[in-house]
Amino acid sequence: MDDKKILFSAIQPSGILTIGNYLGALRNFKKLQDDYNGIFSLADLHTLTVKQDPQVLRKNTYELAALYLACGIDPEKSILFAQSHVPAHTELAWVLNTIAYPGELSRMTQFKDKSKKHEDNINMGLMDYPVLMAADILLYQTELVPIGADQKQHLELARDLAIRFNNRFGETFKVPEGYIGKTGARVMSLAEPERKMSKSDANLNAFISMDDDTDTIIRKFKRAVTDSDNKIICAPDKPGITNLLTIYSLFASVSIEDAEKEFEGKGYGDFKLKVGEAVASVIDPIRQEKNKLLADKSYLDDVLSQGADRAARLAYRTLGKVYKKVGLVPRKRG
């Protein structure tokens, strides 16, 4: 690793991602790997907190690996690996558990929300998820973590645990900072623009997935909810059009103001078609490249294996310091 700052990001392979995930995270990774030492993880262990079909989980993990690569992650520049391939993640999580308090974990918003959604499976992993996430981050002496609003609490815990450990055992971990992307825009549902776009929406027309082809994307935008009058402007009382303008501006790389001027006097039908075309022009080449990569599983296995080797060298360097600080006897080699 050179002297650039270390950036760590992990996404769960829990299903097909939407254009909201792309705009909020994936599209930024290609540029971030040029500016930082990028470490990108497929957070497969985290998915186990919710019941999984093993075959589907394996399929989703390959799909996410291929999507990372299709979006521009270069395995020569960055480290791409599956979390479960580097045991140091769970090993550090155990040590961090000894300085994490039940009260702070039970107060986590995501734990409360997921406990309501999965009342038949409120397991310890669900509560302990943030400690494993802290281990993911701290293992690599991470300086920056791209986060959304729903992960701020978890990053704060990682920072607290780093500081707590450093105070108790001496300087060991870097205290990570959050990295907020420049767009800051939330992509809302095409069917209910007051709600965030979600891949788990029962209405398939409410979201655009990264697996949708051009015809599907354009069809979904044609069906997108609009507003009562025919003005194409951003306004608090026009959530449908505001959402579509936001999406268009991000995919066409124009300002909202320029987009409003472009569609001044145009009808909703023409506008929605143009939004669909702008999105498809970006997403379809990524989808095609992803499918090409998925056809070569041995290549994906090689990328993940080499990534895990590189990640493990960094991770065990940190874990060795941790074990020494807490007083564990080092294993004699040879």
mmCIF file with all atom_site columns, all heavy atoms in Angstrom, residues 196-207:
data_model
loop_
_atom_site.group_PDB
_atom_site.id
_atom_site.type_symbol
_atom_site.label_atom_id
_atom_site.label_alt_id
_atom_site.label_comp_id
_atom_site.label_asym_id
_atom_site.label_entity_id
_atom_site.label_seq_id
_atom_site.pdbx_PDB_ins_code
_atom_site.Cartn_x
_atom_site.Cartn_y
_atom_site.Cartn_z
_atom_site.occupancy
_atom_site.B_iso_or_equiv
_atom_site.pdbx_formal_charge
_atom_site.auth_seq_id
_atom_site.auth_comp_id
_atom_site.auth_asym_id
_atom_site.auth_atom_id
_atom_site.pdbx_PDB_model_num
ATOM 1  N N   . LYS A 1 196 ? -38.292 5.959  0.007   1.00 0.00 ? 196 LYS A N   1
ATOM 2  C CA  . LYS A 1 196 ? -37.020 5.641  -0.627  1.00 0.00 ? 196 LYS A CA  1
ATOM 3  C C   . LYS A 1 196 ? -37.167 4.419  -1.527  1.00 0.00 ? 196 LYS A C   1
ATOM 4  O O   . LYS A 1 196 ? -37.900 3.484  -1.199  1.00 0.00 ? 196 LYS A O   1
ATOM 5  C CB  . LYS A 1 196 ? -35.974 5.366  0.471   1.00 0.00 ? 196 LYS A CB  1
ATOM 6  C CG  . LYS A 1 196 ? -34.548 5.200  -0.028  1.00 0.00 ? 196 LYS A CG  1
ATOM 7  C CD  . LYS A 1 196 ? -33.600 4.982  1.144   1.00 0.00 ? 196 LYS A CD  1
ATOM 8  C CE  . LYS A 1 196 ? -32.184 4.684  0.676   1.00 0.00 ? 196 LYS A CE  1
ATOM 9  N NZ  . LYS A 1 196 ? -31.276 4.399  1.801   1.00 0.00 ? 196 LYS A NZ  1
ATOM 10 N N   . MET A 1 197 ? -36.466 4.427  -2.676  1.00 0.00 ? 197 MET A N   1
ATOM 11 C CA  . MET A 1 197 ? -36.486 3.276  -3.569  1.00 0.00 ? 197 MET A CA  1
ATOM 12 C C   . MET A 1 197 ? -35.874 2.072  -2.853  1.00 0.00 ? 197 MET A C   1
ATOM 13 O O   . MET A 1 197 ? -34.814 2.189  -2.233  1.00 0.00 ? 197 MET A O   1
ATOM 14 C CB  . MET A 1 197 ? -35.702 3.574  -4.853  1.00 0.00 ? 197 MET A CB  1
ATOM 15 C CG  . MET A 1 197 ? -35.760 2.464  -5.887  1.00 0.00 ? 197 MET A CG  1
ATOM 16 S SD  . MET A 1 197 ? -34.853 2.848  -7.422  1.00 0.00 ? 197 MET A SD  1
ATOM 17 C CE  . MET A 1 197 ? -35.960 4.014  -8.198  1.00 0.00 ? 197 MET A CE  1
ATOM 18 N N   . SER A 1 198 ? -36.527 0.912  -2.952  1.00 0.00 ? 198 SER A N   1
ATOM 19 C CA  . SER A 1 198 ? -36.054 -0.285 -2.251  1.00 0.00 ? 198 SER A CA  1
ATOM 20 C C   . SER A 1 198 ? -36.177 -1.515 -3.135  1.00 0.00 ? 198 SER A C   1
ATOM 21 O O   . SER A 1 198 ? -37.209 -1.721 -3.788  1.00 0.00 ? 198 SER A O   1
ATOM 22 C CB  . SER A 1 198 ? -36.859 -0.501 -0.965  1.00 0.00 ? 198 SER A CB  1
ATOM 23 O OG  . SER A 1 198 ? -36.585 -1.760 -0.402  1.00 0.00 ? 198 SER A OG  1
ATOM 24 N N   . LYS A 1 199 ? -35.139 -2.349 -3.118  1.00 0.00 ? 199 LYS A N   1
ATOM 25 C CA  . LYS A 1 199 ? -35.146 -3.592 -3.905  1.00 0.00 ? 199 LYS A CA  1
ATOM 26 C C   . LYS A 1 199 ? -36.147 -4.598 -3.357  1.00 0.00 ? 199 LYS A C   1
ATOM 27 O O   . LYS A 1 199 ? -36.536 -5.537 -4.054  1.00 0.00 ? 199 LYS A O   1
ATOM 28 C CB  . LYS A 1 199 ? -33.753 -4.211 -3.924  1.00 0.00 ? 199 LYS A CB  1
ATOM 29 C CG  . LYS A 1 199 ? -33.270 -4.672 -2.556  1.00 0.00 ? 199 LYS A CG  1
ATOM 30 C CD  . LYS A 1 199 ? -31.852 -5.162 -2.594  1.00 0.00 ? 199 LYS A CD  1
ATOM 31 C CE  . LYS A 1 199 ? -31.379 -5.545 -1.199  1.00 0.00 ? 199 LYS A CE  1
ATOM 32 N NZ  . LYS A 1 199 ? -29.968 -5.890 -1.149  1.00 0.00 ? 199 LYS A NZ  1
ATOM 33 N N   . SER A 1 200 ? -36.575 -4.415 -2.093  1.00 0.00 ? 200 SER A N   1
ATOM 34 C CA  . SER A 1 200 ? -37.511 -5.367 -1.485  1.00 0.00 ? 200 SER A CA  1
ATOM 35 C C   . SER A 1 200 ? -38.972 -4.947 -1.683  1.00 0.00 ? 200 SER A C   1
ATOM 36 O O   . SER A 1 200 ? -39.877 -5.583 -1.162  1.00 0.00 ? 200 SER A O   1
ATOM 37 C CB  . SER A 1 200 ? -37.215 -5.514 0.009   1.00 0.00 ? 200 SER A CB  1
ATOM 38 O OG  . SER A 1 200 ? -37.283 -4.264 0.654   1.00 0.00 ? 200 SER A OG  1
ATOM 39 N N   . ASP A 1 201 ? -39.200 -3.879 -2.451  1.00 0.00 ? 201 ASP A N   1
ATOM 40 C CA  . ASP A 1 201 ? -40.556 -3.404 -2.711  1.00 0.00 ? 201 ASP A CA  1
ATOM 41 C C   . ASP A 1 201 ? -41.342 -4.495 -3.443  1.00 0.00 ? 201 ASP A C   1
ATOM 42 O O   . ASP A 1 201 ? -40.860 -5.086 -4.416  1.00 0.00 ? 201 ASP A O   1
ATOM 43 C CB  . ASP A 1 201 ? -40.514 -2.134 -3.562  1.00 0.00 ? 201 ASP A CB  1
ATOM 44 C CG  . ASP A 1 201 ? -41.802 -1.319 -3.450  1.00 0.00 ? 201 ASP A CG  1
ATOM 45 O OD1 . ASP A 1 201 ? -42.882 -1.910 -3.606  1.00 0.00 ? 201 ASP A OD1 1
ATOM 46 O OD2 . ASP A 1 201 ? -41.712 -0.106 -3.211  1.00 0.00 ? 201 ASP A OD2 1
ATOM 47 N N   . ALA A 1 202 ? -42.565 -4.767 -2.984  1.00 0.00 ? 202 ALA A N   1
ATOM 48 C CA  . ALA A 1 202 ? -43.405 -5.784 -3.624  1.00 0.00 ? 202 ALA A CA  1
ATOM 49 C C   . ALA A 1 202 ? -43.817 -5.368 -5.034  1.00 0.00 ? 202 ALA A C   1
ATOM 50 O O   . ALA A 1 202 ? -44.064 -6.213 -5.900  1.00 0.00 ? 202 ALA A O   1
ATOM 51 C CB  . ALA A 1 202 ? -44.644 -6.042 -2.768  1.00 0.00 ? 202 ALA A CB  1
ATOM 52 N N   . ASN A 1 203 ? -43.873 -4.059 -5.276  1.00 0.00 ? 203 ASN A N   1
ATOM 53 C CA  . ASN A 1 203 ? -44.218 -3.535 -6.607  1.00 0.00 ? 203 ASN A CA  1
ATOM 54 C C   . ASN A 1 203 ? -42.943 -3.434 -7.440  1.00 0.00 ? 203 ASN A C   1
ATOM 55 O O   . ASN A 1 203 ? -42.107 -2.562 -7.221  1.00 0.00 ? 203 ASN A O   1
ATOM 56 C CB  . ASN A 1 203 ? -44.876 -2.163 -6.452  1.00 0.00 ? 203 ASN A CB  1
ATOM 57 C CG  . ASN A 1 203 ? -45.287 -1.569 -7.786  1.00 0.00 ? 203 ASN A CG  1
ATOM 58 O OD1 . ASN A 1 203 ? -45.022 -2.139 -8.852  1.00 0.00 ? 203 ASN A OD1 1
ATOM 59 N ND2 . ASN A 1 203 ? -45.926 -0.414 -7.726  1.00 0.00 ? 203 ASN A ND2 1
ATOM 60 N N   . LEU A 1 204 ? -42.773 -4.333 -8.414  1.00 0.00 ? 204 LEU A N   1
ATOM 61 C CA  . LEU A 1 204 ? -41.549 -4.372 -9.219  1.00 0.00 ? 204 LEU A CA  1
ATOM 62 C C   . LEU A 1 204 ? -41.364 -3.114 -10.064 1.00 0.00 ? 204 LEU A C   1
ATOM 63 O O   . LEU A 1 204 ? -40.254 -2.818 -10.516 1.00 0.00 ? 204 LEU A O   1
ATOM 64 C CB  . LEU A 1 204 ? -41.550 -5.616 -10.121 1.00 0.00 ? 204 LEU A CB  1
ATOM 65 C CG  . LEU A 1 204 ? -41.569 -6.972 -9.411  1.00 0.00 ? 204 LEU A CG  1
ATOM 66 C CD1 . LEU A 1 204 ? -41.561 -8.109 -10.420 1.00 0.00 ? 204 LEU A CD1 1
ATOM 67 C CD2 . LEU A 1 204 ? -40.383 -7.106 -8.456  1.00 0.00 ? 204 LEU A CD2 1
ATOM 68 N N   . ASN A 1 205 ? -42.461 -2.366 -10.297 1.00 0.00 ? 205 ASN A N   1
ATOM 69 C CA  . ASN A 1 205 ? -42.357 -1.124 -11.071 1.00 0.00 ? 205 ASN A CA  1
ATOM 70 C C   . ASN A 1 205 ? -41.888 0.054  -10.232 1.00 0.00 ? 205 ASN A C   1
ATOM 71 O O   . ASN A 1 205 ? -41.683 1.146  -10.751 1.00 0.00 ? 205 ASN A O   1
ATOM 72 C CB  . ASN A 1 205 ? -43.717 -0.778 -11.704 1.00 0.00 ? 205 ASN A CB  1
ATOM 73 C CG  . ASN A 1 205 ? -44.096 -1.750 -12.793 1.00 0.00 ? 205 ASN A CG  1
ATOM 74 O OD1 . ASN A 1 205 ? -43.295 -2.047 -13.676 1.00 0.00 ? 205 ASN A OD1 1
ATOM 75 N ND2 . ASN A 1 205 ? -45.317 -2.275 -12.734 1.00 0.00 ? 205 ASN A ND2 1
ATOM 76 N N   . ALA A 1 206 ? -41.701 -0.167 -8.926  1.00 0.00 ? 206 ALA A N   1
ATOM 77 C CA  . ALA A 1 206 ? -41.325 0.922  -8.030  1.00 0.00 ? 206 ALA A CA  1
ATOM 78 C C   . ALA A 1 206 ? -39.829 1.197  -8.023  1.00 0.00 ? 206 ALA A C   1
ATOM 79 O O   . ALA A 1 206 ? -39.381 2.249  -7.566  1.00 0.00 ? 206 ALA A O   1
ATOM 80 C CB  . ALA A 1 206 ? -41.790 0.615  -6.612  1.00 0.00 ? 206 ALA A CB  1
ATOM 81 N N   . PHE A 1 207 ? -39.028 0.237  -8.532  1.00 0.00 ? 207 PHE A N   1
ATOM 82 C CA  . PHE A 1 207 ? -37.576 0.411  -8.482  1.00 0.00 ? 207 PHE A CA  1
ATOM 83 C C   . PHE A 1 207 ? -36.940 -0.044 -9.791  1.00 0.00 ? 207 PHE A C   1
ATOM 84 O O   . PHE A 1 207 ? -37.495 -0.863 -10.525 1.00 0.00 ? 207 PHE A O   1
ATOM 85 C CB  . PHE A 1 207 ? -36.963 -0.362 -7.303  1.00 0.00 ? 207 PHE A CB  1
ATOM 86 C CG  . PHE A 1 207 ? -37.142 -1.852 -7.370  1.00 0.00 ? 207 PHE A CG  1
ATOM 87 C CD1 . PHE A 1 207 ? -36.189 -2.662 -7.982  1.00 0.00 ? 207 PHE A CD1 1
ATOM 88 C CD2 . PHE A 1 207 ? -38.275 -2.462 -6.830  1.00 0.00 ? 207 PHE A CD2 1
ATOM 89 C CE1 . PHE A 1 207 ? -36.353 -4.042 -8.039  1.00 0.00 ? 207 PHE A CE1 1
ATOM 90 C CE2 . PHE A 1 207 ? -38.448 -3.844 -6.884  1.00 0.00 ? 207 PHE A CE2 1
ATOM 91 C CZ  . PHE A 1 207 ? -37.473 -4.630 -7.497  1.00 0.00 ? 207 PHE A CZ  1
#
